[in-house]
DNA sequence: CAGTGGTCTAGACCACAGC
DNA sequence: CTGTGGTCTAGACCACTGG
């Protein structure tokens, strides 16, 4: 009925460069594009999408700003390795790191299991409310001291390969591991920080109550949906965070 | 016209659009441009700087991204009112705000004086290390409860008019007041957050030691130099912060 | 050298605001 | 209606990369 017509009109109102952006995003998600191979050049994209270079450049520019792509003059445009280090919770230890060589902390999985549905988290992950989720517990340590304690929830479908693994079979960095085993790439995340003055965590606080910072993180995949939900805890005394405001 | 040509040849290493961006920034700073009057249109700018519209648009786009300008289709491009509310320290109370009407807290100056030089702060503000600085103490309250306590340092030259004032002559919001009295516009700021578990503040903690969050803020003016340094304190239990990571 | 992205031009038409 | 910014084109040349 009218719906179709209306939809068509609505769609044609979306700028061409945004349409191309979405197409490109879909293309990259569906092909599990590698980090090493350049995506088609701007000339190629212009001809395949039948648009001028300027328009394609604008589409690509959007994805660069979102942190999905990165350009190298003379070489090409590539999928960007997400900046894993930039997590706010992981900045804790960077402040106190030895001069010159900030050492990456070691990530260790403590527990992998399937847990009952949690309405709020299921909804975030786009899962039916009755579905069970994959649940990980993990600690990050430096100099054999626990710095960050993570609780992680994942969709059972997208991350099915993980549920078969034992804790020791995981790797140090989780996001590249997700990508390798499950083809899921984290491109951005939203974090909420709060402070808990008396919190007790098995791994972080030695069973005592301490002041901690809690970071709730919702990580998005290439298609924009939330693919991982994580709650991280660090000691308040180690906290340091920097930001720019405009 | 000759000037432009010559300049372009001399500075040919810097892209034209960046040159125009700096020229524009200088122009806005020197003319104390108002928020209500649109800056010259893209056509005008293109002809005054003898560049194409596309190039001028790119220059303007830079300043929009930096939060200096804002565009309104059909109306023009304007100096942007800085988003004062977006300060991370001021987000505390927004979380607990009554539904529908997050009330702005009331800002009240407690003290205005000239203080001895502090090497670190003098350097940040670009002042000779022996110069005295203007120093303000201020609290922000909601429901007659102190939410944030600020210590503020300013250059004596740029903010000379303030040193003559009594506390009660200040206004609720400082940044618009700076602009009105001293022609100084804050366009961006860099903040560093840490947690102090046992901190005592005259206004915030009733003389007791409490867990607080400390935010050090360096605020930049139109020309990119730091024009205000501020240390803000808020109760840790009220802290809430959101951010996007890419 | 060829191919990539980076910059720039000189137009065109559209969408929106305000008179 | 005019003037603004928003989108788009079809080229040009430059700067950088790697074979």
């Amino acid at each position: 009925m009218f719906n179709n017509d209306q939809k068509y009109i609505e769609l044609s109102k979306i700028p061409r460069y945004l349409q191309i952006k979405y197409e490109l995003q879909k293309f990259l998600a569906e092909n599990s594009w590698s980090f090493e191979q350049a995506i088609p050049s701007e000339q190629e994209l212009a001809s395949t999408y039948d648009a001028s270079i300027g328009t394609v450049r604008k589409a690509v520019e959007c994805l660069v700003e979102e942190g999905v792509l990165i350009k190298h003059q003379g070489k090409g445009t590539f999928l960007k390795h997400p900046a894993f280090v930039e997590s706010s919770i992981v900045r804790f230890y960077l402040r106190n790191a030895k001069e010159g060589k900030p050492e990456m902390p070691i990530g260790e999985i403590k527990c992998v299991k399937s847990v009952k549905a949690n309405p709020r988290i299921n909804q975030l992950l786009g899962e039916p409310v009755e579905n069970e989720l994959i649940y990980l517990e993990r600690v990050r340590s430096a100099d054999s001291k626990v710095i960050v304690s993570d609780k992680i929830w994942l969709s059972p479908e997208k991350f099915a390969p993980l549920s078969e693994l034992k804790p020791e079979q995981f790797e140090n960095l989780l996001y590249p591991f997700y990508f390798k085993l499950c083809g899921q790439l984290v491109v951005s995340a939203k974090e909420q920080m709060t402070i808990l003055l008396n919190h007790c965590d098995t791994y972080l606080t030695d069973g005592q109550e301490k002041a901690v910072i809690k970071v709730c993180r919702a990580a998005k995949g290439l298609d924009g949906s939330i693919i991982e939900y994580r709650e991280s805890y660090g000691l308040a005394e180690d906290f340091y965070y920097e930001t720019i405001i405009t």
Side-chain angles (χ1 to χ4, degrees), chain A:
Chain A
M1 311 203 293
F2 285 110
N3 259 344
N4 273 336
D5 277 347
Q6 220 154 348
K7 230 180 202 170
Y8 178 65
I9 293 169
E10 287 283 319
L11 278 179
S12 67
K13 285 210 171 179
I14 300 177
R16 189 93 183 86
Y17 75 90
L18 280 183
Q19 292 180 30
I20 294 176
K21 181 201 146 192
Y22 298 135
E23 297 275 339
L24 203 47
Q25 208 159 356
K26 217 176 99 191
F27 168 73
L28 295 172
E30 287 172 354
N31 293 49
S32 300
W33 206 264
S34 79
F35 294 111
E36 292 75 25
Q37 190 187 358
I39 70 169
S41 76
E42 296 177 343
Q43 281 287 359
E44 269 180 86
L45 292 173
S47 79
T48 59
Y49 292 119
D50 194 29
S52 79
I53 290 209
T55 305
V56 167
R57 280 184 68 84
K58 197 155 183 183
V60 170
E61 210 55 57
C62 279
L63 290 172
V64 169
E65 268 173 38
E66 286 178 20
V68 177
L69 296 178
I70 186 166
K71 292 177 169 191
H72 292 295
Q73 189 175 3
K75 292 204 283 185
T77 302
F78 300 80
L79 256 191
K80 185 184 171 190
H81 279 96
F84 309 108
V85 176
E86 292 306 310
S87 154
S88 31
I89 192 104
V90 168
R91 292 189 198 192
F92 291 180
Y93 62 86
L94 285 180
R95 174 178 57 152
N96 301 320
K98 275 68 173 169
E99 203 56 43
K101 268 209 175 181
E103 203 65 40
M104 277 299 286
I106 295 163
E108 184 190 353
I109 300 290
K110 291 289 192 179
C111 150
V112 188
K113 56 184 176 182
S114 185
V115 296
K116 276 195 189 149
N118 171 316
R120 183 176 59 93
I121 298 176
N122 276 50
Q123 195 180 0
L124 275 174
L125 294 174
E127 287 289 317
V129 287
E130 69 280 5
N131 276 24
E132 293 203 334
L133 300 174
I134 298 175
Y135 173 77
L136 310 178
E137 287 183 356
R138 177 178 183 242
V139 299
R140 276 174 279 180
S141 322
D143 295 333
S144 53
K145 182 196 167 202
V146 173
I147 289 174
V148 176
S149 170
D150 298 319
K151 326 287 176 196
I152 301 171
W153 290 262
L154 301 162
S155 291
E157 295 86 17
K158 290 175 179 164
F159 292 92
L162 297 187
S163 57
E164 312 291 334
L165 299 181
K166 292 175 186 166
E168 57 271 25
Q169 293 178 285
F170 283 77
E171 292 183 357
N172 185 21
L173 292 174
L174 274 186
Y175 287 174
F177 192 61
Y178 291 166
F179 185 62
K180 217 163 51 173
L181 252 73
C182 317
Q184 297 291 332
L185 180 64
V186 171
V187 296
S188 73
K190 179 170 163 183
E191 296 191 341
Q192 298 173 317
M193 284 188 254
T194 52
I195 294 169
L196 307 178
L197 289 179
N198 300 294
H199 180 77
C200 186
D201 183 279
T202 316
Y203 310 113
L204 185 70
T205 67
D206 282 332
Q208 300 168 30
E209 289 199 336
K210 290 191 177 174
V212 300
I213 176 123
K214 173 184 177 183
V215 179
C216 301
R217 155 187 281 234
K220 289 186 183 179
L222 261 174
D223 62 355
S225 69
I226 295 174
I227 61 176
E228 182 208 54
Y229 176 72
R230 178 189 291 206
E231 291 180 355
S232 300
Y233 300 85
L235 292 179
E237 60 204 38
D238 294 329
F239 180 66
Y240 176 76
Y241 188 68
E242 247 187 49
T243 186
I244 305 274
I245 299 188
T246 56

